[in-house]
Amino acid sequence: MSDMTAPPQPCHSMRKTFYDGSTRQLYWTDEEVPYPDGQLIVSRTDLQGRITHANEAFVLMSGYSREELIGAPHCILRHPEMPAKAFASLWGDAQAKRKWHGYVKNLRKDGSFYWVYATVVPNIRRSEVVGYTSVRRKPSRKKIDEITAVYQAWLSEERITR
């Protein structure tokens, strides 16, 4: 993954190390892009989490072109304020061939963010998991406020254990 480009407005920054050992310079702002009413974001990944399909809503909300998304690791959207514990739950369920639901704060290419309520399901062919599909919808503001407090507590725990 290439480093992000710093946005022109004031922003936060950090060098992030991902699960596979790769690193990326991240920049993010406090600007939220509202999730559009009536839209579903759909993407598919292979077993390594590389994007193999991105619908138009995903392209628009992410701020990346389809060409930038296809083949990129899905963690290109991982906001630094998302705790590892949330993704451990997602991957644990998906790899056990179970459906996962949860709230995710995604990082856009321009450094702004958007919240989703995501459902992730394993794609199973002949009893084998061959990839994953994620369908995201607009979350309620009340649920975002509730989960933000939980995620902040989890992030604090992660900082202590580092």
Side-chain angles (χ1 to χ4, degrees):
M1 272 186 294
S2 59
D3 290 343
M4 290 180 71
T5 302
Q9 67 266 43
C11 64
H12 312 274
S13 68
M14 73 176 291
R15 184 130 205 106
K16 175 78 175 166
T17 301
F18 293 92
Y19 65 93
D20 64 357
S22 65
T23 65
R24 183 176 193 222
Q25 185 65 38
L26 301 179
Y27 298 96
W28 69 99
T29 68
D30 296 325
E31 180 184 341
E32 181 174 2
V33 173
Y35 193 103
D37 289 330
Q39 294 290 311
L40 290 177
I41 294 173
V42 179
S43 62
R44 284 192 290 279
T45 67
D46 63 16
L47 291 173
Q48 289 73 43
R50 290 184 302 262
I51 300 167
T52 60
H53 169 80
N55 76 344
E56 190 59 28
F58 184 36
V59 171
L60 291 172
M61 282 304 289
S62 73
Y64 289 94
S65 70
R66 187 176 318 281
E67 294 75 24
E68 290 172 306
L69 290 169
I70 301 300
H74 211 286
C75 64
I76 196 169
L77 300 170
R78 184 167 176 184
H79 196 285
E81 295 171 357
M82 277 298 299
K85 192 173 183 176
F87 289 104
S89 167
L90 182 161
W91 282 108
D93 283 352
Q95 290 173 340
K97 300 181 182 180
R98 293 188 305 258
K99 185 186 310 185
W100 178 87
H101 299 280
Y103 295 88
V104 179
K105 185 178 188 177
N106 282 323
L107 180 63
R108 291 171 41 93
K109 181 179 180 179
D110 65 5
S112 59
F113 68 92
Y114 62 101
W115 279 97
V116 299
Y117 179 68
T119 300
V120 177
V121 296
N123 300 330
I124 300 173
R125 306 285 182 273
R126 291 185 214 102
S127 301
E128 295 292 322
V129 176
V130 296
Y132 304 96
T133 297
S134 178
V135 178
R136 279 90 76 202
R137 56 188 44 85
K138 184 176 185 170
S140 78
R141 180 53 52 186
K142 180 179 182 218
K143 292 291 188 182
I144 291 170
D145 293 342
E146 290 171 6
I147 202 67
T148 297
V150 171
Y151 286 177
Q152 287 172 347
W154 288 357
L155 285 167
S156 292
E157 290 171 12
E158 289 173 14
R159 283 188 210 100
I160 290 169
T161 60
R162 273 188 220 143

